[in-house]
């Protein structure tokens, strides 16, 4: 019915508290990590500009990513 083995159900019933979850030793780095300095720079520049001239990261971010990927493809 719940797709749980008898040993798992029995172990759960005998323990007063659940066992702690296991953690993985390796954590995968996030994909935007190489671009965080660029993003921070864009956001800091936007803080200094007038309100009407502020840009969002959305239109500015794909261009450097595409340039980086195209330069990697040429190598």
């Amino acid at each position: 019915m719940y797709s749980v083995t008898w040993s798992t159900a029995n172990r759960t019933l005998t323990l007063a508290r659940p066992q702690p979850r296991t953690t993985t030793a390796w954590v995968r780095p996030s994909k935007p990590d190489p671009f965080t300095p660029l993003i921070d720079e864009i956001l800091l520049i936007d803080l200094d500009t007038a309100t009407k001239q502020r840009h969002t990261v959305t239109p500015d971010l794909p261009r450097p990513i595409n340039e980086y990927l195209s330069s990697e493809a040429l190598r």
Side-chain angles (χ1 to χ4, degrees):
M1 186 167 154
Y2 291 107
S3 300
V4 177
T5 62
W6 173 253
S7 61
T8 303
N10 193 22
R11 185 175 53 230
T12 304
L13 291 173
T14 58
L15 296 176
R17 295 177 188 249
Q19 295 177 344
R21 293 181 182 241
T22 57
T23 58
T24 59
W26 181 75
V27 178
R28 180 176 52 143
S30 66
K31 288 186 177 185
D33 278 346
F35 302 105
T36 51
L38 175 67
I39 294 170
D40 290 342
E41 183 181 340
I42 291 170
L43 293 175
L44 287 173
I45 290 170
D46 276 352
L47 289 176
D48 296 335
T49 59
T51 308
K52 289 187 177 183
Q53 295 176 351
R54 286 188 182 168
H55 302 288
T56 60
V57 175
T58 311
D60 293 338
L61 187 59
R63 182 182 55 82
I65 292 174
N66 290 336
E67 289 174 0
Y68 174 77
L69 294 176
S70 66
S71 66
E72 288 292 319
L74 295 175
R75 291 183 190 178

